[in-house]
Amino acid sequence: MAERLREAKSIEQEIAELRRELLEHDYRYYVLNQPIIADVEYDAMMRRLRELEAQRPDLVTPDSPTQRVSGQPAEGFEEYFHKRPMLSLDNSYSIADLRQWAERCEKLAGGRKFDYVAELKIDGLSISLIYENGLLVRGVTRGDGVRGEVVTQNVRTIRSVPLRIGEGRGSRGEKKGKQASLFDDEAISRQPKEIEVRGEVYLPKEVFEEINRERTEQSLPTFANPRNAAAGTMRQLDARIVAERRLDIFCYQLLFDGEAAFSTHYEALEWMKHAGFKVNPHSRLCATIDEVIAFCDQWAEGRDELNYEIDGVVVKVNQVAVQEKLGATAKSPRWAIAYKFPARQASTRLLEVIYQVGRTGAVTPVAVLEPVQLAGTTVARASLHNADEIERLGVMKGDWVFIEKSGEIIPQVVKVIPERRTGEETAIQFPTHCPVCQTSLVKPEGEAVTRCPNPDCPAKLKAWLLHFAARRAMRIEGLGEALVDQLISPRVKRDKKGKPVKDEHGQPVILPPLVRDVADLYHLAERRDELIALERMGEKSADNLLAQIEASKQAGLARLIYALGIRHVGERTAQILADHYTSLERLAAATSEELAAIYEIGEVVAAAIVDWFKQPRNRSLLKRLAEAGVSLEVERGGRQQVARVFEGKQFVLTGTLPNMKREEAKAFIEERGGRVTGSVSKKTDYVVAGQEAGSKLLRAQELGIQIIDEAQLLALGGSRS
């Protein structure tokens, strides 16, 4: 017995030592790029650890180096709502724009002094790493900024991502003393339960080239560029494939329990470095915007020297207090901006112009080009935007033109090369009638966009149906372009044998479309036989589609508002409207003034909403949706509308409340007209504090803001119904 205990203890010790050494070597190799042992030695240590863990599977832990790759492919990715939105950045494309942004920051800062942090803008995909008690528990993609996909197993394959914060760094000899511990820096007032590190996952250039060489040899399609390869890799369901791709990461943001961890952004970058995260070494603290501009100029010229793609520089206000004062819009922080490098151009011939009609009727001219390579992709089409842009460019069919990717994404024609004209070029005539339904086009006063006004235009209907059925809207799976084309098109009537039925004149009998608007989708069950008869349908496909349509009736008010396709109303605005009005009936009765007064709505959006509900066609549509059983209200369990006693008040929630979850408390406040924000400022009216309240409580005490508990919140707002 004693011998077995000694043996068990020896195995435990050896496993612990091997893990520590392997994590240390991972850090040196993948983060510092300073290996101190040969690959063969590393492989021998890993083999020994696997052998020992096979003997003692009870000792296997999630942060063991052997657990980076899961054994079985995942079945799919679950959604995860970010506790703090991963906002996108506003872009600037000139030094003048950058200076204007800095001037706005200085003005909004109200005299507060601040400096800047300039960081290379890595061309990859954003990811959130969530640690609980120091252990990596979740990796989440940015998604739409509010919710992403959980890709933890894939993230674990990235060797520069620590599985446990601070592990494997004991022998480095760096930053001993106060920085050697995770939580003992005097800037940290509490020990966070959750640490979130955000970063950009990317594929090194040399790995990208190697992958494409291998795919070419295997007669597989190659990836267009490193970013696409990285994005596609992160969505692989088999983590073993992800591991083979050798993704990497640079980390750029640190949150403790959902809040900024330090008083400056630069301190956060330094902390992450010392905690074992890979932070881009070229970040620079800049005292003035002139220093920022010099940094931008340096890397616009030097980006080709790097082993990864960058498409610009991210500039941030360094001081967190100033960041909070500057705030954010619904989409972007005001305290940060992305300076995008001038796009690389290519020249090619414009062969033809085609016209696309969107769901709002906007007619967009698209240039058909001789295919050309641009920034790692083959470009065969490019946007010409509108008729005014065609006139401004003076472009003709047959012209040689320069194209570039706007913001490195959307190809567009930017300049004509008149010196290469042969005299055979022909003028581009913008259509006067819709290319799909032949209705006379209109160009509203003050707008650059030409539109088809026909509400029955098939192109508009097709785009609307696809939008309505999209995952972010009503989630009707299987309603793709090919099926939509059949649903909105007239059909030849056929007999039971499939032969065309002819009228008295011997002509085929033409049946009207199955769908004329989105409400018709909810009557397809009544025409199941006709649905089954469509090309490539059959009974099983038809029944699956009908089940999806039936389920979409309970998609929720926010999704429905977004799916209706009201101009200027995106997902975020739809959610705000759903929370504020709780039913389409109340929203339809709202005035422009009332809507514009809602935070984040504004006059333009308000006018578009009121105009949409004024249309008899739209009112009829809503009636038909209701009759079909589509839910037009927020499900509240029969709750009555409550008085908006918190109108204009700002709340901050901190700690754990005794009875209410944070989401419930937030809903309680917002139902009554209040707004819940993530940080305490002078604009905060109440801080609702529960158990284990942290730095937000201390900040509220410093500013003299009223602090209340759950019982006081309920008393102020009235009892919950």
Side-chain angles (χ1 to χ4, degrees):
M1 174 70 74
E3 183 177 345
R4 284 201 299 271
L5 288 174
R6 283 195 299 271
E7 181 183 355
K9 185 177 181 182
S10 175
I11 289 178
E12 290 176 4
Q13 290 175 334
E14 187 175 358
I15 285 176
E17 183 65 15
L18 283 169
R19 286 177 183 166
R20 187 193 64 76
E21 291 183 13
L22 285 166
L23 289 169
E24 168 68 10
H25 292 308
D26 278 351
Y27 179 81
R28 287 186 174 277
Y29 187 93
Y30 294 105
V31 178
L32 299 181
N33 196 26
Q34 297 172 357
I36 57 173
I37 63 172
D39 289 348
V40 64
E41 297 175 80
Y42 180 94
D43 292 340
M45 293 170 65
M46 182 65 80
R47 281 196 302 272
R48 177 58 178 163
L49 179 58
R50 290 186 189 280
E51 291 171 1
L52 293 174
E53 289 183 345
Q55 295 176 36
R56 290 291 306 277
D58 58 304
L59 297 180
V60 178
T61 60
D63 58 331
S64 172
T66 63
Q67 300 303 299
R68 283 194 177 270
V69 183
S70 63
Q72 296 297 323
E75 294 182 357
F77 300 119
E78 65 176 295
E79 283 188 345
Y80 180 86
F81 283 79
H82 299 292
K83 293 183 179 178
R84 184 167 180 164
M86 296 184 72
L87 300 177
S88 58
L89 296 178
D90 281 337
N91 293 324
S92 65
Y93 297 95
S94 69
I95 296 300
D97 289 343
L98 201 53
R99 288 191 184 278
Q100 288 175 4
W101 169 79
E103 290 170 3
R104 287 196 300 272
C105 288
E106 291 173 2
K107 183 178 179 180
L108 292 172
R112 294 193 185 188
K113 300 297 182 183
F114 60 89
D115 47 18
Y116 306 89
V117 178
E119 303 169 64
L120 299 184
K121 188 175 183 300
I122 312 302
D123 195 14
L125 67 151
S126 296
I127 207 83
S128 167
L129 310 175
I130 299 172
Y131 295 81
E132 293 178 0
N133 299 317
L135 181 68
L136 177 67
V137 296
R138 193 173 291 110
V140 187
T141 64
R142 177 184 177 275
D144 63 358
V146 175
R147 58 193 163 198
E149 293 180 319
V150 178
V151 290
T152 311
Q153 292 301 328
N154 291 348
V155 165
R156 291 170 68 86
T157 70
I158 303 173
R159 305 302 289 267
S160 50
V161 171
L163 299 180
R164 183 180 290 277
I165 298 178
E167 283 289 331
R169 299 176 54 254
S171 62
R172 279 174 48 231
E174 291 184 22
K175 281 285 180 182
K176 296 293 183 182
K178 69 177 184 179
Q179 283 285 6
S181 171
L182 180 58
F183 299 124
D184 58 3
D185 191 292
E186 67 262 13
I188 307 174
S189 62
R190 56 186 164 75
Q191 292 191 6
K193 287 185 176 179
E194 181 182 280
I195 293 178
E196 182 178 359
V197 174
R198 294 177 175 179
E200 197 80 355
V201 172
Y202 68 95
L203 195 66
K205 290 179 182 177
E206 61 186 15
V207 178
F208 168 74
E209 292 166 359
E210 181 180 336
I211 290 172
N212 268 355
R213 280 197 301 270
E214 292 174 357
R215 293 180 71 85
T216 299
E217 292 169 0
Q218 297 168 17
S219 299
L220 295 172
T222 58
F223 290 112
N225 52 55
R227 187 192 186 283
N228 286 359
T233 298
M234 191 51 69
R235 297 207 79 256
Q236 287 283 338
L237 295 176
D238 190 341
R240 291 169 294 190
I241 297 175
V242 182
E244 293 172 358
R245 299 272 174 87
R246 290 175 286 164
L247 295 171
D248 211 337
I249 190 172
F250 282 122
C251 299
Y252 59 75
Q253 186 177 10
L254 175 68
L255 299 173
F256 284 176
D257 294 327
E259 299 296 326
F262 292 85
S263 60
T264 68
H265 176 62
Y266 201 74
E267 284 178 281
L269 293 178
E270 290 296 304
W271 187 93
M272 285 189 287
K273 288 180 188 177
H274 299 309
F277 292 94
K278 188 171 184 178
V279 176
N280 192 276
H282 302 296
S283 303
R284 181 180 298 175
L285 185 62
C286 301
T288 66
I289 196 64
D290 287 330
E291 291 183 23
V292 170
I293 291 168
F295 181 89
C296 293
D297 290 341
Q298 172 191 347
W299 287 106
E301 295 294 326
R303 56 176 159 165
D304 289 335
E305 302 169 8
L306 300 169
N307 188 35
Y308 46 89
E309 292 285 350
I310 62 173
D311 58 357
V313 172
V314 175
V315 187
K316 302 173 183 174
V317 169
N318 187 31
Q319 284 69 22
V320 172
V322 179
Q323 292 179 6
E324 293 176 349
K325 184 172 181 60
L326 296 178
T329 66
K331 296 181 180 179
S332 308
R334 295 191 181 93
W335 46 267
I337 195 167
Y339 170 73
K340 304 299 286 289
F341 293 141
R344 291 166 173 165
Q345 296 182 339
S347 61
T348 186
R349 280 187 72 230
L350 189 155
L351 305 176
E352 184 58 80
V353 177
I354 60 176
Y355 298 88
Q356 297 177 342
V357 182
R359 62 182 173 84
T360 65
V363 179
T364 303
V366 177
V368 179
L369 310 166
E370 285 186 352
V372 64
Q373 284 287 314
L374 175 62
T377 62
T378 300
V379 176
R381 294 189 178 188
S383 176
L384 285 166
H385 300 292
N386 50 58
D388 291 348
E389 181 69 0
I390 291 174
E391 183 178 352
R392 186 190 70 80
L393 290 168
V395 65
M396 303 174 73
K397 293 179 186 178
D399 265 335
W400 279 86
V401 296
F402 281 118
I403 60 169
E404 68 177 31
K405 289 188 176 181
S406 176
E408 306 275 4
I409 298 174
I410 304 170
Q412 61 180 337
V413 177
V414 295
K415 186 180 179 182
V416 175
I417 311 175
E419 295 82 2
R420 301 188 69 171
R421 282 181 172 163
T422 64
E424 296 181 0
E425 296 77 15
T426 57
I428 297 171
Q429 300 293 332
F430 201 93
T432 58
H433 292 74
C434 175
V436 177
C437 70
Q438 303 308 311
T439 301
S440 295
L441 299 177
V442 297
K443 187 178 179 183
E445 186 176 351
E447 291 191 20
V449 177
T450 302
R451 298 183 188 276
C452 172
N454 178 13
D456 296 313
C457 175
K460 291 170 66 173
L461 176 57
K462 177 180 178 179
W464 184 22
L465 285 168
L466 291 171
H467 171 77
F468 188 86
R471 184 182 181 190
R472 299 303 191 195
M474 301 298 278
R475 281 187 172 179
I476 303 175
E477 301 289 345
L479 198 62
E481 286 195 43
L483 178 55
V484 168
D485 282 334
Q486 293 189 77
L487 292 175
I488 65 175
S489 301
R491 298 156 296 131
V492 175
K493 186 176 181 180
R494 298 181 183 276
D495 60 22
K496 292 182 179 180
K497 295 182 179 180
K499 294 182 179 181
V501 175
K502 297 184 179 180
D503 61 18
E504 57 188 18
H505 303 292
Q507 298 299 315
V509 175
I510 304 299
L511 298 174
L514 283 169
V515 172
R516 295 182 182 273
D517 61 27
V518 295
D520 282 343
L521 292 172
Y522 296 97
H523 294 280
L524 285 176
E526 303 159 17
R527 307 175 71 175
R528 179 175 176 273
D529 290 344
E530 294 176 76
L531 186 63
I532 292 172
L534 296 179
E535 187 178 347
R536 296 182 181 178
M537 278 301 288
E539 291 192 22
K540 185 176 180 179
S541 296
D543 288 340
N544 286 340
L545 176 64
L546 293 174
Q548 289 285 330
I549 292 171
E550 182 65 25
S552 74
K553 293 179 180 180
Q554 303 303 321
L557 181 59
R559 287 180 178 274
L560 177 59
I561 293 172
Y562 174 59
L564 291 175
I566 303 169
R567 284 191 70 190
H568 307 302
V569 176
E571 279 188 88
R572 169 65 179 161
T573 301
Q575 187 64 61
I576 292 170
L577 294 171
D579 291 343
H580 193 88
Y581 289 102
T582 72
S583 81
L584 272 184
E585 182 180 357
R586 283 189 282 273
L587 175 59
T591 65
S592 292
E593 293 76 17
E594 180 184 323
L595 286 161
I598 300 172
Y599 182 71
E600 296 185 38
I601 298 298
E603 294 180 0
V604 173
V605 179
I609 294 168
V610 170
D611 181 66
W612 193 91
F613 282 104
K614 276 183 180 178
Q615 306 301 318
R617 184 187 187 95
N618 294 333
R619 292 200 298 270
S620 174
L621 172 72
L622 296 181
K623 181 180 178 181
R624 292 174 59 222
L625 287 172
E627 291 171 348
V630 178
S631 175
L632 308 187
E633 295 186 353
V634 172
E635 292 294 331
R636 299 281 186 181
R639 270 191 289 196
Q640 301 297 313
Q641 184 76 358
V642 295
R644 299 178 66 79
V645 293
F646 293 154
E647 194 76 58
K649 301 294 184 182
Q650 289 193 16
F651 291 75
V652 170
L653 304 172
T654 182
T656 303
L657 301 180
N659 300 302
M660 302 173 73
K661 294 181 179 179
R662 182 162 296 201
E663 294 78 10
E664 293 175 333
K666 183 173 183 289
F668 179 85
I669 292 167
E670 291 178 343
E671 276 181 343
R672 289 152 177 79
R675 179 179 171 228
V676 178
T677 62
S679 58
V680 179
S681 70
K682 291 181 179 179
K683 295 181 180 180
T684 304
D685 295 290
Y686 297 99
V687 169
V688 184
Q691 293 180 348
E692 300 181 10
S695 61
K696 294 178 185 177
L697 179 59
L698 298 175
R699 179 65 174 158
Q701 292 169 340
E702 292 173 2
L703 295 176
I705 292 165
Q706 187 171 353
I707 300 167
I708 61 176
D709 59 18
E710 180 186 289
Q712 291 169 310
L713 172 67
L714 294 174
L716 286 171
S719 61
R720 287 183 289 174
S721 53

